[in-house]
Amino acid sequence: MAENQSTELALTGNDYSSGEQQEQKSGFVGSLGGMDLVRQITLIVALTICLAIAILIIM
């Protein structure tokens, strides 16, 4: 007898019968992941510091 030996993951729809519910994220924070938000804030702070140093050098 032939058995299905596929290694693909079987995905079900929105089946919450196991008691688990997925967290619904919305808004700006929901569209970005946690690390993406930290990366964006770090980039903005670094650019602000560089801009401040450049202004001090020019003056």
Side-chain angles (χ1 to χ4, degrees):
M1 298 185 132
E3 292 183 23
N4 186 5
Q5 296 181 357
S6 174
T7 58
E8 295 180 21
L9 181 62
L11 298 175
T12 58
N14 292 331
D15 182 21
Y16 299 129
S17 61
S18 64
E20 296 181 21
Q21 291 184 348
Q22 295 179 350
E23 180 181 350
Q24 298 293 326
K25 295 181 179 179
S26 62
F28 178 72
V29 178
S31 65
L32 296 173
M35 288 307 295
D36 288 335
L37 184 63
V38 171
R39 188 177 298 130
Q40 293 290 329
I41 292 172
T42 303
L43 181 64
I44 291 170
V45 169
L47 289 175
T48 304
I49 291 171
C50 289
L51 182 62
I53 291 172
I55 290 173
L56 288 175
I57 289 174
I58 291 173
M59 295 179 123

